[in-house]
Amino acid sequence: MPKPLQYMGQVLFYLLFVVVIGFFSTSPTYTHLPPDETLIKLSFSHAGQHVGACRERTPEELAKLPQYQRKVTTVCPRERSDVVVELELDGKKLYHVVMKPAGFSRSGNSNIYRRIPVKAGKHTLKARLKDHDGDDYNYVRDETVNLVAGRIMVIEFKAETGGFIFKNHAS
Amino acid sequence: MTATKQKRSMVRRAQFALEGALNMVFGNGLNPLYYLGALGFFFFWVVVISGAYIYAFYKTGIELSYPSVEYLTNEQWYFGGVMRSLHRYASDALVLVMALHLLREYIMGRYRGARWFAWFTGVLLIWLIFAAGINGYWMVWDKLAQFSTVSTVEWLDWLPIFSEPMSRSFVTQEVLNDRFFSLISFAHVTLPLFILFLLWVHIMRISKPVVNPSRGLATWMLLALLVLSLVEPALSQGPADMALEPTNLNIDWFYLFIYPLLDAWTAGQVWALVIGSTLLLAVLPWLPPRFKNIPVPEIHLNDCSGCRLCVADCPYEAVIMRPRSDGMHFAEEAVVIADRCVSCGICAGACPSSNPFRGEEDYMSGIEMPSITMSGLRTSLRSDLEKLSGRVRLLVVGCDNAVSVLQLQSASVAAISLPCIAMLPPSFIEFALHEHHVDGVLISGCRAGDCYHRLGVLWTEQRLAGKREPRLRSRAERKRIKLFWSVSLDIKELESELESFRASLTSNQTLTKVREER
């Protein structure tokens, strides 16, 4: 092959090389979230109530224990209840989950992290949680929220502060 | 021919055609497809050097990382920005050449038998290189980093090994910890160290590995990346904000292609795909069709002087020396490590005792392929050469991995094919020319720079040029020897080369002289 053609071929090769590298390094653009959607992130860790009632140790039981163990007079069963969470958006069920307690003895916290894509806009959001064996949801929060496209709303739960926390910077 | 073999043959032809075209443009010495592994090393070093510079300015922290990268990109665009772009583009080029290298070795079947080791360690390298690359994207802590980090953590959470989801640590800006940045910047230094170690292991069983592309190729590649860095600098995509979900992203498809898949599929499906593909790649050397193992060479101590020529020529570090065990006065003896041997026979071709001029009928070489002994080769050569007739009598020696020379056999042409062309001791050429008065010897094999057994073509050229032991003696006239490294799998090319060689011999005065002697 004549030298000028060789040089041209080499230039074309390197051009193709940089075009491939340069293009696929940033393109094509990927749409991760459609422009009219946003995310609700449900994220918390909560320990369900003990399965069965706690009781006081009898004086006989306490007497059998070594001295240093006698300070704790209440005994509870290790196993905890499942934590059930339900989300409703505009009256329709959005998400339902039964969270098992962690650990072999089911004695740990129930943990959750879920990302739930929803349409942006004003919605009525209801969150319910039950952490005991009964049927009733013992924590409920119902609120009208303004979900802005692309802005994440985080739903947390802290029993000690009253239950659900809606973190929505747009509202 | 089965459908699979046909497909494979078609793919090989396409590969040969592409490489042949690049050979015309670049010449063998600069053909990038012959240096994919070496280019991988080269891009790795570019990434390391440019990364070291960026690292000097990088600050770890939620509020610090992004501005520190922005400073390099904008305030110091003339050097820091270029280094950042070079860092990214060389990383992308590394993935590209790695994929092509893997594909090429697969098409050429260079992953079975003793070559499993390089293949297997190469598969592990893919994981490490991707881990380091993705980790690097996190360090910028822009929207792309946020997307990649959160998606990765969500993906990892699918594995039943965490009691509490790790994703919870990335839900809001407040829960995000500075220690995460210390962790990823530490990982970004240690992962390349692991890569370097594994690269060393990857080529451990290869002698004289090509870890540097030719200077010209390296220079042009670097210049191409530099031009790209100046024309299209690598930019961040706005600071990460955990309150906002990234929407449109310019993702690096070389490294981050898995993330769109994570949006489309479940985490479990993506794990199945990734682990399944890795396992498939890892066990590929042992999958059917069964690899046909040619018995490995044997050492015959009575004929081994411990000269080390076989050790010097073995392309796979499969021959080593150890202290003499038979009491002979030589210091060392050769030993074949069967697990590393690909049975190319190059060692037998290097052994001085493979000489066909030896008197004994069933002589042994110091190192010998059990399936093709040197005395057996001499016997069949003798028988073939004695049958030759015609005005110009030729011997063609070829390689099993290039175009088949056996198709050229005729009344005036004897042909032998060997596992590798360097299995042919140069003395056999002299033997054919002077003992059997063939008019010419055509040596054919894989393309120059692309020997199936790595060094066969190079060793043959050097032996025939008298630059490497065992040398072709000067009485074997070079005019009557032709080297031809086929550039395709097309027999017509070889036939035409043979005819032109025949024509050159006919017009050659040397031939007349030989005839007279006869």
Side-chain angles (χ1 to χ4, degrees):
Chain A
M1 188 184 266
K3 279 274 173 202
L5 272 181
Q6 274 193 327
Y7 292 140
M8 255 167 66
Q10 290 182 16
V11 169
L12 275 177
F13 174 86
Y14 287 114
L15 198 65
L16 179 71
F17 172 71
V18 294
V19 165
V20 168
I21 296 286
F23 180 77
F24 288 107
S25 174
T26 53
S27 308
T29 302
Y30 173 63
T31 304
H32 168 55
L33 194 72
D36 59 340
E37 283 191 10
T38 189
L39 278 186
I40 292 177
K41 285 192 176 179
L42 178 65
S43 167
F44 65 85
S45 179
H46 173 65
Q49 294 177 22
H50 291 287
V51 176
C54 298
R55 64 173 182 81
E56 290 298 314
R57 283 193 170 115
T58 62
E60 291 77 27
E61 280 176 323
L62 283 172
K64 281 180 193 166
L65 292 173
Q67 194 69 39
Y68 70 93
Q69 288 184 357
R70 291 178 192 168
K71 285 179 189 165
V72 181
T73 56
T74 311
V75 279
C76 296
R78 284 192 72 181
E79 190 181 345
R80 291 182 180 273
S81 291
D82 292 343
V83 173
V84 182
V85 177
E86 204 166 86
L87 299 180
E88 275 181 22
L89 196 71
D90 303 326
K92 287 180 191 159
K93 188 154 82 177
L94 180 68
Y95 185 67
H96 174 92
V97 65
V98 178
M99 297 145 60
K100 305 275 179 214
F104 290 116
S105 310
R106 294 166 52 90
S107 57
N109 284 1
S110 294
N111 303 300
I112 186 150
Y113 168 83
R114 286 287 182 284
R115 61 201 306 276
I116 307 159
V118 290
K119 289 280 176 204
K122 274 205 167 173
H123 298 279
T124 315
L125 181 65
K126 184 177 180 183
R128 303 194 297 171
L129 180 145
K130 82 178 179 74
D131 61 357
H132 58 91
D133 275 349
D135 291 333
D136 61 311
Y137 284 86
N138 44 339
Y139 295 95
V140 180
R141 181 160 181 183
D142 197 344
E143 205 174 279
T144 301
V145 290
N146 182 20
L147 301 178
V148 177
R151 186 166 284 280
I152 302 164
M153 178 182 171
V154 181
I155 302 178
E156 291 180 348
F157 182 86
K158 275 184 190 156
E160 57 274 24
T161 56
F164 283 105
I165 303 160
F166 291 176
K167 285 187 176 171
N168 182 18
H169 296 286
S171 53
Chain B
M1 195 186 267
T2 63
T4 320
K5 271 190 178 174
Q6 256 176 347
K7 260 187 217 162
R8 195 154 210 174
S9 165
M10 275 170 61
V11 173
R12 277 205 76 180
R13 276 173 196 281
Q15 177 215 341
F16 267 54
L18 177 65
E19 290 176 3
L22 286 180
N23 261 344
M24 285 198 288
V25 173
F26 286 92
N28 294 336
L30 291 174
N31 187 340
L33 295 181
Y34 293 162
Y35 292 95
L36 291 170
L39 280 172
F41 269 90
F42 174 70
F43 290 133
F44 173 76
W45 288 120
V46 175
V47 170
V48 167
I49 293 164
S50 55
Y53 182 81
I54 302 167
Y55 207 77
F57 294 88
Y58 183 72
K59 291 179 180 162
T60 55
I62 304 168
E63 304 296 336
L64 300 175
S65 297
Y66 182 80
S68 68
V69 178
E70 281 301 277
Y71 164 77
L72 267 181
T73 312
N74 300 317
E75 306 299 316
Q76 214 196 94
W77 64 267
Y78 49 88
F79 196 75
V82 170
M83 288 304 244
R84 181 192 176 188
S85 304
L86 208 53
H87 191 64
R88 175 192 286 189
Y89 293 134
S91 309
D92 289 339
L94 171 59
V95 169
L96 183 67
V97 294
M98 178 175 73
L100 291 174
H101 180 51
L102 178 126
L103 184 69
R104 187 166 184 272
E105 297 307 294
Y106 173 73
I107 292 171
M108 297 190 75
R110 298 205 281 209
Y111 61 96
R112 290 174 177 276
R115 285 168 147 165
W116 74 267
F117 185 80
W119 178 268
F120 189 83
T121 50
V123 173
L124 300 179
L125 270 168
I126 297 174
W127 269 89
L128 281 183
I129 287 171
F130 271 94
I134 291 170
N135 170 210
Y137 270 104
W138 297 357
M139 293 178 73
V140 181
W141 205 236
D142 61 351
K143 284 187 168 52
L144 183 62
Q146 177 190 346
F147 162 68
S148 168
T149 308
V150 172
S151 300
T152 305
V153 175
E154 285 172 355
W155 189 38
L156 286 171
D157 275 337
W158 183 88
L159 299 172
I161 50 175
F162 306 104
S163 62
E164 191 173 341
M166 282 194 297
S167 305
R168 293 199 58 233
S169 308
F170 296 89
V171 170
T172 58
Q173 203 80 6
E174 299 81 58
V175 293
L176 193 60
N177 200 307
D178 273 343
R179 274 177 293 181
F180 169 69
F181 293 89
S182 307
L183 180 74
I184 58 171
S185 68
F186 174 72
H188 206 56
V189 173
T190 45
L191 279 170
L193 288 175
F194 281 114
I195 291 171
L196 190 60
F197 172 73
L198 205 54
L199 280 171
W200 171 67
V201 175
H202 183 58
I203 55 167
M204 203 183 233
R205 293 190 178 180
I206 294 171
S207 59
K208 300 170 186 65
V210 184
V211 291
N212 293 312
S214 55
R215 197 172 292 174
L217 184 60
T219 309
W220 283 110
M221 283 288 180
L222 186 62
L223 277 175
L225 291 183
L226 269 173
V227 169
L228 179 62
S229 301
L230 289 166
V231 173
E232 196 68 42
L235 301 172
S236 306
Q237 298 184 34
D241 182 348
M242 304 315 278
L244 296 173
E245 185 71 2
T247 49
N248 291 325
L249 293 158
N250 295 324
I251 72 169
D252 182 340
W253 292 90
F254 291 102
Y255 280 94
L256 310 176
F257 60 88
I258 202 86
Y259 295 107
L261 211 54
L262 274 166
D263 280 350
W265 293 4
T266 65
Q269 285 170 329
V270 179
W271 273 120
L273 176 79
V274 168
I275 293 175
S277 328
T278 308
L279 285 177
L280 181 67
L281 277 178
V283 301
L284 213 55
W286 299 279
L287 289 184
R290 201 173 156 70
F291 182 64
K292 198 177 143 196
N293 265 322
I294 306 172
V296 301
E298 290 169 355
I299 305 288
H300 302 122
L301 283 183
N302 283 343
D303 295 279
C304 174
S305 64
C307 68
R308 286 178 163 258
L309 289 186
C310 50
V311 177
D313 280 9
C314 176
Y316 296 99
E317 305 267 349
V319 191
I320 55 165
M321 300 305 287
R322 71 174 177 201
R324 204 76 194 188
S325 63
D326 60 354
M328 284 179 79
H329 65 281
F330 302 113
E332 291 177 316
E333 65 187 30
V335 181
V336 175
I337 304 172
D339 288 347
R340 295 184 189 175
C341 179
V342 298
S343 302
C344 60
I346 292 177
C347 51
C351 183
S353 63
S354 293
N355 195 326
F357 291 101
R358 286 173 65 180
E360 314 97 294
E361 194 50 43
D362 289 320
Y363 74 94
M364 292 288 212
S365 290
I367 186 163
E368 185 115 77
M369 295 283 284
S371 53
I372 318 163
T373 61
M374 284 299 161
S375 65
L377 187 64
R378 180 175 70 176
T379 307
S380 78
L381 191 65
R382 262 181 188 155
S383 137
D384 287 354
L385 296 182
E386 275 161 14
K387 285 179 207 155
L388 287 182
S389 59
R391 217 164 67 84
V392 182
R393 304 181 317 151
L394 298 170
L395 168 67
V396 183
V397 188
C399 148
D400 292 345
N401 298 294
V403 61
S404 170
V405 295
L406 298 178
Q407 300 172 68
L408 298 173
Q409 268 174 333
S410 68
S412 61
V413 179
I416 51 170
S417 185
L418 300 170
C420 178
I421 196 60
M423 186 185 163
L424 183 76
S427 48
F428 269 74
I429 300 172
E430 190 187 337
F431 179 73
L433 289 172
H434 288 275
E435 289 288 304
H436 290 276
H437 304 294
V438 295
D439 298 310
V441 179
L442 176 69
I443 307 285
S444 168
C446 308
R447 287 173 297 180
D450 189 35
C451 171
Y452 181 80
H453 290 302
R454 299 188 56 248
L455 300 169
V457 170
L458 182 65
W459 289 170
T460 304
E461 282 178 343
Q462 291 186 356
R463 287 172 188 169
L464 267 56
K467 292 176 183 167
R468 186 176 192 87
E469 294 289 353
R471 293 181 168 88
L472 179 67
R473 293 199 294 185
S474 56
R475 75 165 182 152
E477 292 140 292
R478 298 302 188 275
K479 284 179 187 167
R480 292 164 64 197
I481 304 163
K482 172 98 182 166
L483 293 180
F484 175 67
W485 311 126
S486 51
V487 294
S488 75
L489 289 173
D490 195 350
I491 186 70
K492 283 181 187 153
E493 207 178 10
L494 188 57
E495 278 172 345
S496 127
E497 197 63 28
L498 184 70
E499 283 321 306
S500 92
F501 182 42
R502 194 195 295 270
S504 75
L505 285 170
T506 317
S507 60
N508 193 337
Q509 286 182 341
T510 318
L511 188 58
T512 323
K513 207 171 135 193
V514 171
R515 292 260 163 71
E516 280 164 7
E517 280 173 16
R518 254 190 234 162

